[in-house]
mmCIF file of all heavy atoms in Angstrom:
data_model
loop_
_atom_site.group_PDB
_atom_site.id
_atom_site.type_symbol
_atom_site.label_atom_id
_atom_site.label_comp_id
_atom_site.label_asym_id
_atom_site.label_seq_id
_atom_site.Cartn_x
_atom_site.Cartn_y
_atom_site.Cartn_z
ATOM 1 N N ARG V 1142 -26.751 -10.922 5.399
ATOM 2 C CA ARG V 1142 -28.049 -11.331 4.849
ATOM 3 C C ARG V 1142 -27.888 -11.659 3.366
ATOM 4 O O ARG V 1142 -26.925 -11.272 2.698
ATOM 5 C CB ARG V 1142 -29.083 -10.222 5.045
ATOM 6 C CG ARG V 1142 -29.455 -9.959 6.509
ATOM 7 C CD ARG V 1142 -30.558 -8.928 6.584
ATOM 8 N NE ARG V 1142 -30.147 -7.627 6.090
ATOM 9 C CZ ARG V 1142 -29.610 -6.662 6.834
ATOM 10 N NH1 ARG V 1142 -29.395 -6.868 8.143
ATOM 11 N NH2 ARG V 1142 -29.291 -5.498 6.296
ATOM 12 N N TYR V 1143 -28.838 -12.362 2.789
ATOM 13 C CA TYR V 1143 -28.835 -12.585 1.359
ATOM 14 C C TYR V 1143 -28.711 -11.260 0.621
ATOM 15 O O TYR V 1143 -29.348 -10.258 0.981
ATOM 16 C CB TYR V 1143 -30.094 -13.295 0.903
ATOM 17 C CG TYR V 1143 -30.180 -14.750 1.317
ATOM 18 C CD1 TYR V 1143 -31.235 -15.236 2.074
ATOM 19 C CD2 TYR V 1143 -29.214 -15.651 0.902
ATOM 20 C CE1 TYR V 1143 -31.311 -16.581 2.424
ATOM 21 C CE2 TYR V 1143 -29.271 -16.997 1.258
ATOM 22 C CZ TYR V 1143 -30.322 -17.440 2.014
ATOM 23 O OH TYR V 1143 -30.406 -18.791 2.377
ATOM 24 N N GLY V 1144 -27.891 -11.230 -0.398
ATOM 25 C CA GLY V 1144 -27.698 -10.005 -1.167
ATOM 26 C C GLY V 1144 -26.751 -9.012 -0.558
ATOM 27 O O GLY V 1144 -26.549 -7.927 -1.093
ATOM 28 N N GLN V 1145 -26.098 -9.391 0.533
ATOM 29 C CA GLN V 1145 -25.206 -8.469 1.261
ATOM 30 C C GLN V 1145 -23.848 -9.142 1.457
ATOM 31 O O GLN V 1145 -23.770 -10.351 1.650
ATOM 32 C CB GLN V 1145 -25.862 -8.148 2.628
ATOM 33 C CG GLN V 1145 -25.061 -7.137 3.448
ATOM 34 C CD GLN V 1145 -25.697 -6.904 4.800
ATOM 35 O OE1 GLN V 1145 -25.920 -7.851 5.559
ATOM 36 N NE2 GLN V 1145 -25.984 -5.651 5.125
ATOM 37 N N GLY V 1146 -22.796 -8.335 1.412
ATOM 38 C CA GLY V 1146 -21.464 -8.852 1.737
ATOM 39 C C GLY V 1146 -21.097 -10.055 0.880
ATOM 40 O O GLY V 1146 -21.189 -10.038 -0.354
ATOM 41 N N ALA V 1147 -20.688 -11.122 1.555
ATOM 42 C CA ALA V 1147 -20.197 -12.325 0.873
ATOM 43 C C ALA V 1147 -21.292 -13.395 0.674
ATOM 44 O O ALA V 1147 -20.993 -14.490 0.184
ATOM 45 C CB ALA V 1147 -19.023 -12.924 1.632
ATOM 46 N N SER V 1148 -22.516 -13.096 1.075
ATOM 47 C CA SER V 1148 -23.611 -14.056 0.889
ATOM 48 C C SER V 1148 -24.167 -14.005 -0.521
ATOM 49 O O SER V 1148 -24.041 -13.017 -1.225
ATOM 50 C CB SER V 1148 -24.741 -13.792 1.892
ATOM 51 O OG SER V 1148 -24.329 -14.111 3.226
ATOM 52 N N ALA V 1149 -24.856 -15.100 -0.899
ATOM 53 C CA ALA V 1149 -25.473 -15.201 -2.221
ATOM 54 C C ALA V 1149 -26.680 -14.277 -2.298
ATOM 55 O O ALA V 1149 -27.201 -13.779 -1.316
ATOM 56 C CB ALA V 1149 -25.895 -16.620 -2.474
ATOM 57 N N ARG V 1150 -27.113 -14.045 -3.532
ATOM 58 C CA ARG V 1150 -28.364 -13.308 -3.748
ATOM 59 C C ARG V 1150 -29.510 -14.155 -3.178
ATOM 60 O O ARG V 1150 -29.423 -15.385 -3.064
ATOM 61 C CB ARG V 1150 -28.608 -13.055 -5.233
ATOM 62 C CG ARG V 1150 -27.544 -12.244 -5.907
ATOM 63 C CD ARG V 1150 -27.394 -10.849 -5.330
ATOM 64 N NE ARG V 1150 -28.654 -10.077 -5.371
ATOM 65 C CZ ARG V 1150 -28.760 -8.831 -4.873
ATOM 66 N NH1 ARG V 1150 -27.730 -8.261 -4.302
ATOM 67 N NH2 ARG V 1150 -29.890 -8.187 -4.933
ATOM 68 N N ASP V 1151 -30.568 -13.500 -2.806
ATOM 69 C CA ASP V 1151 -31.729 -14.174 -2.230
ATOM 70 C C ASP V 1151 -32.480 -14.968 -3.335
ATOM 71 O O ASP V 1151 -32.881 -14.358 -4.324
ATOM 72 C CB ASP V 1151 -32.661 -13.146 -1.590
ATOM 73 C CG ASP V 1151 -33.690 -13.816 -0.682
ATOM 74 O OD1 ASP V 1151 -34.065 -14.957 -0.929
ATOM 75 O OD2 ASP V 1151 -34.130 -13.134 0.275
ATOM 76 N N PRO V 1152 -32.647 -16.252 -3.147
ATOM 77 C CA PRO V 1152 -33.399 -17.031 -4.141
ATOM 78 C C PRO V 1152 -34.832 -16.522 -4.347
ATOM 79 O O PRO V 1152 -35.435 -16.780 -5.390
ATOM 80 C CB PRO V 1152 -33.420 -18.459 -3.539
ATOM 81 C CG PRO V 1152 -32.239 -18.496 -2.624
ATOM 82 C CD PRO V 1152 -32.129 -17.093 -2.058
ATOM 83 N N ARG V 1153 -35.329 -15.769 -3.384
ATOM 84 C CA ARG V 1153 -36.693 -15.241 -3.517
ATOM 85 C C ARG V 1153 -36.796 -14.243 -4.704
ATOM 86 O O ARG V 1153 -37.885 -13.954 -5.176
ATOM 87 C CB ARG V 1153 -37.116 -14.508 -2.247
ATOM 88 C CG ARG V 1153 -37.217 -15.403 -1.001
ATOM 89 C CD ARG V 1153 -37.705 -14.536 0.170
ATOM 90 N NE ARG V 1153 -37.773 -15.284 1.400
ATOM 91 C CZ ARG V 1153 -36.763 -15.372 2.298
ATOM 92 N NH1 ARG V 1153 -35.605 -14.773 2.016
ATOM 93 N NH2 ARG V 1153 -36.904 -16.071 3.427
ATOM 94 N N GLU V 1154 -35.635 -13.730 -5.146
ATOM 95 C CA GLU V 1154 -35.652 -12.773 -6.262
ATOM 96 C C GLU V 1154 -36.326 -13.352 -7.508
ATOM 97 O O GLU V 1154 -36.848 -12.608 -8.319
ATOM 98 C CB GLU V 1154 -34.227 -12.336 -6.599
ATOM 99 C CG GLU V 1154 -33.589 -11.407 -5.570
ATOM 100 C CD GLU V 1154 -32.222 -10.939 -5.971
ATOM 101 O OE1 GLU V 1154 -31.508 -11.705 -6.665
ATOM 102 O OE2 GLU V 1154 -31.857 -9.822 -5.621
ATOM 103 N N THR V 1155 -36.293 -14.662 -7.628
ATOM 104 C CA THR V 1155 -36.866 -15.287 -8.817
ATOM 105 C C THR V 1155 -38.307 -15.689 -8.611
ATOM 106 O O THR V 1155 -38.924 -16.206 -9.568
ATOM 107 C CB THR V 1155 -36.032 -16.565 -9.183
ATOM 108 O OG1 THR V 1155 -36.118 -17.521 -8.117
ATOM 109 C CG2 THR V 1155 -34.573 -16.188 -9.422
ATOM 110 N N TRP V 1156 -38.829 -15.486 -7.455
ATOM 111 C CA TRP V 1156 -40.210 -15.900 -7.212
ATOM 112 C C TRP V 1156 -41.161 -14.942 -7.948
ATOM 113 O O TRP V 1156 -41.007 -13.723 -7.891
ATOM 114 C CB TRP V 1156 -40.551 -15.838 -5.705
ATOM 115 C CG TRP V 1156 -39.816 -16.854 -4.872
ATOM 116 C CD1 TRP V 1156 -38.837 -17.701 -5.278
ATOM 117 C CD2 TRP V 1156 -40.025 -17.104 -3.472
ATOM 118 N NE1 TRP V 1156 -38.424 -18.480 -4.242
ATOM 119 C CE2 TRP V 1156 -39.127 -18.130 -3.111
ATOM 120 C CE3 TRP V 1156 -40.881 -16.562 -2.528
ATOM 121 C CZ2 TRP V 1156 -39.055 -18.626 -1.824
ATOM 122 C CZ3 TRP V 1156 -40.791 -17.048 -1.221
ATOM 123 C CH2 TRP V 1156 -39.923 -18.071 -0.884
ATOM 124 N N PRO V 1157 -42.155 -15.484 -8.622
ATOM 125 C CA PRO V 1157 -43.127 -14.630 -9.341
ATOM 126 C C PRO V 1157 -43.878 -13.679 -8.436
ATOM 127 O O PRO V 1157 -44.313 -12.604 -8.868
ATOM 128 C CB PRO V 1157 -44.076 -15.648 -9.983
ATOM 129 C CG PRO V 1157 -43.306 -16.928 -10.026
ATOM 130 C CD PRO V 1157 -42.402 -16.906 -8.831
ATOM 131 N N SER V 1158 -43.995 -14.034 -7.190
ATOM 132 C CA SER V 1158 -44.752 -13.178 -6.241
ATOM 133 C C SER V 1158 -43.977 -11.964 -5.775
ATOM 134 O O SER V 1158 -44.567 -11.085 -5.132
ATOM 135 C CB SER V 1158 -45.170 -14.013 -4.983
ATOM 136 O OG SER V 1158 -44.043 -14.528 -4.343
ATOM 137 N N LYS V 1159 -42.692 -11.923 -6.043
ATOM 138 C CA LYS V 1159 -41.864 -10.829 -5.585
ATOM 139 C C LYS V 1159 -41.753 -9.728 -6.670
ATOM 140 O O LYS V 1159 -41.472 -10.026 -7.833
ATOM 141 C CB LYS V 1159 -40.456 -11.330 -5.203
ATOM 142 C CG LYS V 1159 -40.439 -12.206 -3.988
ATOM 143 C CD LYS V 1159 -40.731 -11.406 -2.719
ATOM 144 C CE LYS V 1159 -40.543 -12.287 -1.475
ATOM 145 N NZ LYS V 1159 -40.839 -11.497 -0.246
ATOM 146 N N ASP V 1160 -41.866 -8.480 -6.243
ATOM 147 C CA ASP V 1160 -41.662 -7.379 -7.163
ATOM 148 C C ASP V 1160 -40.162 -7.251 -7.421
ATOM 149 O O ASP V 1160 -39.343 -7.460 -6.498
ATOM 150 C CB ASP V 1160 -42.155 -6.057 -6.555
ATOM 151 C CG ASP V 1160 -43.677 -6.044 -6.378
ATOM 152 O OD1 ASP V 1160 -44.343 -6.764 -7.146
ATOM 153 O OD2 ASP V 1160 -44.141 -5.351 -5.447
ATOM 154 N N PRO V 1161 -39.764 -6.912 -8.636
ATOM 155 C CA PRO V 1161 -38.298 -6.772 -8.922
ATOM 156 C C PRO V 1161 -37.644 -5.754 -8.003
ATOM 157 O O PRO V 1161 -38.153 -4.640 -7.777
ATOM 158 C CB PRO V 1161 -38.299 -6.267 -10.360
ATOM 159 C CG PRO V 1161 -39.580 -6.748 -10.972
ATOM 160 C CD PRO V 1161 -40.572 -6.724 -9.852
ATOM 161 N N GLY V 1162 -36.509 -6.160 -7.405
ATOM 162 C CA GLY V 1162 -35.797 -5.284 -6.509
ATOM 163 C C GLY V 1162 -36.194 -5.386 -5.049
ATOM 164 O O GLY V 1162 -35.561 -4.784 -4.174
ATOM 165 N N TYR V 1163 -37.189 -6.177 -4.776
ATOM 166 C CA TYR V 1163 -37.685 -6.339 -3.401
ATOM 167 C C TYR V 1163 -37.644 -7.835 -3.055
ATOM 168 O O TYR V 1163 -38.652 -8.507 -2.997
ATOM 169 C CB TYR V 1163 -39.103 -5.809 -3.241
ATOM 170 C CG TYR V 1163 -39.249 -4.346 -3.547
ATOM 171 C CD1 TYR V 1163 -39.846 -3.927 -4.750
ATOM 172 C CD2 TYR V 1163 -38.794 -3.363 -2.677
ATOM 173 C CE1 TYR V 1163 -39.988 -2.556 -5.039
ATOM 174 C CE2 TYR V 1163 -38.939 -2.007 -2.975
ATOM 175 C CZ TYR V 1163 -39.532 -1.612 -4.138
ATOM 176 O OH TYR V 1163 -39.662 -0.279 -4.427
ATOM 177 N N ALA V 1164 -36.444 -8.330 -2.737
ATOM 178 C CA ALA V 1164 -36.239 -9.783 -2.592
ATOM 179 C C ALA V 1164 -36.812 -10.284 -1.266
ATOM 180 O O ALA V 1164 -37.413 -11.363 -1.210
ATOM 181 C CB ALA V 1164 -34.776 -10.106 -2.667
ATOM 182 N N HIS V 1165 -36.564 -9.556 -0.168
ATOM 183 C CA HIS V 1165 -37.032 -10.070 1.137
ATOM 184 C C HIS V 1165 -37.587 -8.966 2.018
ATOM 185 O O HIS V 1165 -37.106 -7.867 2.070
ATOM 186 C CB HIS V 1165 -35.912 -10.823 1.874
ATOM 187 C CG HIS V 1165 -34.561 -10.174 1.816
ATOM 188 N ND1 HIS V 1165 -33.501 -10.726 1.158
ATOM 189 C CD2 HIS V 1165 -34.079 -9.016 2.376
ATOM 190 C CE1 HIS V 1165 -32.418 -9.936 1.301
ATOM 191 N NE2 HIS V 1165 -32.751 -8.892 2.018
ATOM 192 N N THR V 1166 -38.658 -9.333 2.680
ATOM 193 C CA THR V 1166 -39.334 -8.431 3.625
ATOM 194 C C THR V 1166 -38.714 -8.588 5.027
ATOM 195 O O THR V 1166 -37.858 -9.458 5.235
ATOM 196 C CB THR V 1166 -40.832 -8.759 3.732
ATOM 197 O OG1 THR V 1166 -40.938 -10.098 4.275
ATOM 198 C CG2 THR V 1166 -41.510 -8.710 2.350
ATOM 199 N N LEU V 1167 -39.192 -7.796 5.965
ATOM 200 C CA LEU V 1167 -38.712 -7.928 7.340
ATOM 201 C C LEU V 1167 -38.978 -9.316 7.872
ATOM 202 O O LEU V 1167 -38.130 -9.925 8.558
ATOM 203 C CB LEU V 1167 -39.398 -6.869 8.193
ATOM 204 C CG LEU V 1167 -39.062 -6.898 9.706
ATOM 205 C CD1 LEU V 1167 -37.582 -6.710 9.969
ATOM 206 C CD2 LEU V 1167 -39.854 -5.831 10.463
ATOM 207 N N ASP V 1168 -40.124 -9.865 7.597
ATOM 208 C CA ASP V 1168 -40.445 -11.210 8.088
ATOM 209 C C ASP V 1168 -39.645 -12.289 7.373
ATOM 210 O O ASP V 1168 -39.262 -13.286 7.964
ATOM 211 C CB ASP V 1168 -41.957 -11.499 7.949
ATOM 212 C CG ASP V 1168 -42.742 -10.931 9.130
ATOM 213 O OD1 ASP V 1168 -42.180 -10.796 10.221
ATOM 214 O OD2 ASP V 1168 -43.912 -10.608 8.930
ATOM 215 N N ASP V 1169 -39.332 -12.072 6.095
ATOM 216 C CA ASP V 1169 -38.442 -12.985 5.386
ATOM 217 C C ASP V 1169 -37.066 -13.027 6.059
ATOM 218 O O ASP V 1169 -36.488 -14.111 6.283
ATOM 219 C CB ASP V 1169 -38.274 -12.589 3.919
ATOM 220 C CG ASP V 1169 -39.517 -12.753 3.088
ATOM 221 O OD1 ASP V 1169 -40.370 -13.606 3.437
ATOM 222 O OD2 ASP V 1169 -39.655 -12.032 2.063
ATOM 223 N N VAL V 1170 -36.559 -11.862 6.358
ATOM 224 C CA VAL V 1170 -35.235 -11.761 7.019
ATOM 225 C C VAL V 1170 -35.255 -12.429 8.378
ATOM 226 O O VAL V 1170 -34.313 -13.140 8.761
ATOM 227 C CB VAL V 1170 -34.820 -10.270 7.153
ATOM 228 C CG1 VAL V 1170 -33.576 -10.133 8.030
ATOM 229 C CG2 VAL V 1170 -34.549 -9.677 5.764
ATOM 230 N N THR V 1171 -36.355 -12.224 9.107
ATOM 231 C CA THR V 1171 -36.497 -12.839 10.430
ATOM 232 C C THR V 1171 -36.538 -14.346 10.311
ATOM 233 O O THR V 1171 -35.911 -15.084 11.106
ATOM 234 C CB THR V 1171 -37.760 -12.315 11.123
ATOM 235 O OG1 THR V 1171 -37.712 -10.875 11.176
ATOM 236 C CG2 THR V 1171 -37.882 -12.847 12.520
ATOM 237 N N ASP V 1172 -37.284 -14.852 9.319
ATOM 238 C CA ASP V 1172 -37.319 -16.307 9.068
ATOM 239 C C ASP V 1172 -35.947 -16.857 8.782
ATOM 240 O O ASP V 1172 -35.515 -17.899 9.324
ATOM 241 C CB ASP V 1172 -38.275 -16.607 7.896
ATOM 242 C CG ASP V 1172 -39.726 -16.342 8.207
ATOM 243 O OD1 ASP V 1172 -40.090 -16.298 9.386
ATOM 244 O OD2 ASP V 1172 -40.510 -16.188 7.251
ATOM 245 N N ASP V 1173 -35.193 -16.170 7.906
ATOM 246 C CA ASP V 1173 -33.852 -16.644 7.532
ATOM 247 C C ASP V 1173 -32.952 -16.666 8.757
ATOM 248 O O ASP V 1173 -32.144 -17.578 8.942
ATOM 249 C CB ASP V 1173 -33.258 -15.750 6.466
ATOM 250 C CG ASP V 1173 -33.971 -15.893 5.102
ATOM 251 O OD1 ASP V 1173 -34.667 -16.883 4.893
ATOM 252 O OD2 ASP V 1173 -33.814 -14.932 4.294
ATOM 253 N N LEU V 1174 -33.044 -15.596 9.576
ATOM 254 C CA LEU V 1174 -32.194 -15.555 10.778
ATOM 255 C C LEU V 1174 -32.480 -16.704 11.722
ATOM 256 O O LEU V 1174 -31.559 -17.334 12.285
ATOM 257 C CB LEU V 1174 -32.389 -14.202 11.473
ATOM 258 C CG LEU V 1174 -31.693 -14.013 12.804
ATOM 259 C CD1 LEU V 1174 -30.169 -14.202 12.664
ATOM 260 C CD2 LEU V 1174 -31.983 -12.626 13.408
ATOM 261 N N HIS V 1175 -33.758 -16.970 11.932
ATOM 262 C CA HIS V 1175 -34.137 -18.048 12.807
ATOM 263 C C HIS V 1175 -33.600 -19.388 12.312
ATOM 264 O O HIS V 1175 -33.077 -20.199 13.071
ATOM 265 C CB HIS V 1175 -35.669 -18.113 12.934
ATOM 266 C CG HIS V 1175 -36.152 -19.156 13.911
ATOM 267 N ND1 HIS V 1175 -35.928 -19.057 15.263
ATOM 268 C CD2 HIS V 1175 -36.868 -20.290 13.709
ATOM 269 C CE1 HIS V 1175 -36.468 -20.077 15.871
ATOM 270 N NE2 HIS V 1175 -37.044 -20.851 14.948
ATOM 271 N N GLU V 1176 -33.721 -19.605 11.007
ATOM 272 C CA GLU V 1176 -33.230 -20.830 10.404
ATOM 273 C C GLU V 1176 -31.720 -20.917 10.509
ATOM 274 O O GLU V 1176 -31.156 -22.006 10.751
ATOM 275 C CB GLU V 1176 -33.661 -20.940 8.948
ATOM 276 C CG GLU V 1176 -33.475 -22.296 8.311
ATOM 277 C CD GLU V 1176 -34.096 -22.384 6.939
ATOM 278 O OE1 GLU V 1176 -34.661 -21.398 6.446
ATOM 279 O OE2 GLU V 1176 -34.020 -23.463 6.356
ATOM 280 N N LEU V 1177 -31.037 -19.780 10.334
ATOM 281 C CA LEU V 1177 -29.576 -19.760 10.432
ATOM 282 C C LEU V 1177 -29.121 -20.142 11.830
ATOM 283 O O LEU V 1177 -28.183 -20.946 12.019
ATOM 284 C CB LEU V 1177 -29.055 -18.371 10.055
ATOM 285 C CG LEU V 1177 -27.546 -18.150 10.149
ATOM 286 C CD1 LEU V 1177 -26.847 -18.958 9.072
ATOM 287 C CD2 LEU V 1177 -27.197 -16.672 10.039
ATOM 288 N N ILE V 1178 -29.748 -19.566 12.856
ATOM 289 C CA ILE V 1178 -29.393 -19.859 14.241
ATOM 290 C C ILE V 1178 -29.618 -21.345 14.544
ATOM 291 O O ILE V 1178 -28.784 -22.006 15.155
ATOM 292 C CB ILE V 1178 -30.148 -18.935 15.174
ATOM 293 C CG1 ILE V 1178 -29.711 -17.492 15.035
ATOM 294 C CG2 ILE V 1178 -30.010 -19.408 16.633
ATOM 295 C CD1 ILE V 1178 -30.571 -16.482 15.784
ATOM 296 N N GLN V 1179 -30.764 -21.855 14.095
ATOM 297 C CA GLN V 1179 -31.105 -23.261 14.331
ATOM 298 C C GLN V 1179 -30.101 -24.186 13.647
ATOM 299 O O GLN V 1179 -29.808 -25.278 14.137
ATOM 300 C CB GLN V 1179 -32.512 -23.555 13.866
ATOM 301 C CG GLN V 1179 -33.609 -22.851 14.636
ATOM 302 C CD GLN V 1179 -33.698 -23.287 16.089
ATOM 303 O OE1 GLN V 1179 -33.398 -24.426 16.412
ATOM 304 N NE2 GLN V 1179 -34.066 -22.367 16.978
ATOM 305 N N THR V 1180 -29.576 -23.732 12.500
ATOM 306 C CA THR V 1180 -28.636 -24.542 11.742
ATOM 307 C C THR V 1180 -27.227 -24.515 12.343
ATOM 308 O O THR V 1180 -26.570 -25.569 12.439
ATOM 309 C CB THR V 1180 -28.567 -24.045 10.290
ATOM 310 O OG1 THR V 1180 -29.858 -24.119 9.683
ATOM 311 C CG2 THR V 1180 -27.590 -24.857 9.462
ATOM 312 N N LEU V 1181 -26.784 -23.336 12.754
ATOM 313 C CA LEU V 1181 -25.409 -23.192 13.237
ATOM 314 C C LEU V 1181 -25.213 -23.405 14.714
ATOM 315 O O LEU V 1181 -24.175 -23.897 15.153
ATOM 316 C CB LEU V 1181 -24.877 -21.770 12.886
ATOM 317 C CG LEU V 1181 -24.692 -21.452 11.417
ATOM 318 C CD1 LEU V 1181 -24.294 -19.999 11.268
ATOM 319 C CD2 LEU V 1181 -23.605 -22.344 10.848
ATOM 320 N N ALA V 1182 -26.221 -23.060 15.508
ATOM 321 C CA ALA V 1182 -26.031 -23.114 16.976
ATOM 322 C C ALA V 1182 -27.338 -23.555 17.654
ATOM 323 O O ALA V 1182 -27.889 -22.829 18.507
ATOM 324 C CB ALA V 1182 -25.619 -21.745 17.511
ATOM 325 N N PRO V 1183 -27.813 -24.751 17.313
ATOM 326 C CA PRO V 1183 -29.089 -25.189 17.893
ATOM 327 C C PRO V 1183 -29.057 -25.314 19.418
ATOM 328 O O PRO V 1183 -30.073 -25.101 20.086
ATOM 329 C CB PRO V 1183 -29.313 -26.579 17.247
ATOM 330 C CG PRO V 1183 -27.962 -27.019 16.812
ATOM 331 C CD PRO V 1183 -27.216 -25.754 16.427
ATOM 332 N N ASP V 1184 -27.887 -25.581 19.998
ATOM 333 C CA ASP V 1184 -27.786 -25.716 21.446
ATOM 334 C C ASP V 1184 -27.781 -24.372 22.172
ATOM 335 O O ASP V 1184 -27.833 -24.321 23.378
ATOM 336 C CB ASP V 1184 -26.497 -26.500 21.787
ATOM 337 C CG ASP V 1184 -26.508 -27.922 21.328
ATOM 338 O OD1 ASP V 1184 -27.615 -28.459 21.085
ATOM 339 O OD2 ASP V 1184 -25.422 -28.513 21.152
ATOM 340 N N ARG V 1185 -27.661 -23.296 21.372
ATOM 341 C CA ARG V 1185 -27.658 -21.955 21.970
ATOM 342 C C ARG V 1185 -28.703 -21.055 21.314
ATOM 343 O O ARG V 1185 -28.521 -19.853 21.218
ATOM 344 C CB ARG V 1185 -26.262 -21.360 21.831
ATOM 345 C CG ARG V 1185 -25.240 -22.081 22.683
ATOM 346 C CD ARG V 1185 -23.795 -21.639 22.490
ATOM 347 N NE ARG V 1185 -22.938 -22.345 23.391
ATOM 348 C CZ ARG V 1185 -22.457 -23.570 23.162
ATOM 349 N NH1 ARG V 1185 -22.743 -24.211 22.044
ATOM 350 N NH2 ARG V 1185 -21.689 -24.158 24.069
ATOM 351 N N SER V 1186 -29.764 -21.679 20.851
ATOM 352 C CA SER V 1186 -30.812 -20.918 20.147
ATOM 353 C C SER V 1186 -31.924 -20.443 21.071
ATOM 354 O O SER V 1186 -32.833 -19.741 20.595
ATOM 355 C CB SER V 1186 -31.430 -21.809 19.047
ATOM 356 O OG SER V 1186 -32.011 -22.975 19.611
ATOM 357 N N SER V 1187 -31.867 -20.762 22.336
ATOM 358 C CA SER V 1187 -32.951 -20.404 23.257
ATOM 359 C C SER V 1187 -32.583 -19.214 24.170
ATOM 360 O O SER V 1187 -33.404 -18.743 24.939
ATOM 361 C CB SER V 1187 -33.372 -21.575 24.143
ATOM 362 O OG SER V 1187 -32.281 -22.000 24.975
ATOM 363 N N ARG V 1188 -31.338 -18.724 24.040
ATOM 364 C CA ARG V 1188 -30.871 -17.565 24.816
ATOM 365 C C ARG V 1188 -30.073 -16.673 23.904
ATOM 366 O O ARG V 1188 -28.926 -17.004 23.541
ATOM 367 C CB ARG V 1188 -30.046 -17.998 26.032
ATOM 368 C CG ARG V 1188 -30.761 -18.857 27.076
ATOM 369 C CD ARG V 1188 -29.894 -18.984 28.308
ATOM 370 N NE ARG V 1188 -29.721 -17.674 28.945
ATOM 371 C CZ ARG V 1188 -28.562 -17.298 29.481
ATOM 372 N NH1 ARG V 1188 -27.484 -18.059 29.420
ATOM 373 N NH2 ARG V 1188 -28.467 -16.092 30.080
ATOM 374 N N ILE V 1189 -30.638 -15.551 23.484
ATOM 375 C CA ILE V 1189 -30.005 -14.709 22.485
ATOM 376 C C ILE V 1189 -29.885 -13.256 22.975
ATOM 377 O O ILE V 1189 -30.820 -12.729 23.647
ATOM 378 C CB ILE V 1189 -30.810 -14.755 21.189
ATOM 379 C CG1 ILE V 1189 -30.724 -16.116 20.534
ATOM 380 C CG2 ILE V 1189 -30.332 -13.668 20.201
ATOM 381 C CD1 ILE V 1189 -31.606 -16.310 19.334
#
């Protein structure tokens, strides 16, 4: 996930609406995961 391992920091960290230290919520993470699957494996995104 963003901010973890070899991935970049979450761009949401700079958003004015975000409290410092709280870059992504559960729904933010879910949104990112869905977008990642659609980007990398669109042909296999309907059976997980």
Side-chain angles (χ1 to χ4, degrees):
R1142 293 185 296 269
Y1143 287 123
Q1145 184 183 54
S1148 290
R1150 300 299 303 178
D1151 194 331
R1153 296 182 183 91
E1154 288 183 329
T1155 63
W1156 292 8
S1158 60
K1159 291 290 185 180
D1160 295 332
Y1163 300 106
H1165 42 248
T1166 64
L1167 178 59
D1168 277 332
D1169 291 334
V1170 170
T1171 305
D1172 291 340
D1173 292 341
L1174 174 58
H1175 184 66
E1176 192 173 2
L1177 178 68
I1178 292 171
Q1179 295 295 328
T1180 301
L1181 291 175
D1184 295 338
R1185 293 173 177 84
S1186 61
S1187 63
R1188 298 190 63 220
I1189 293 173

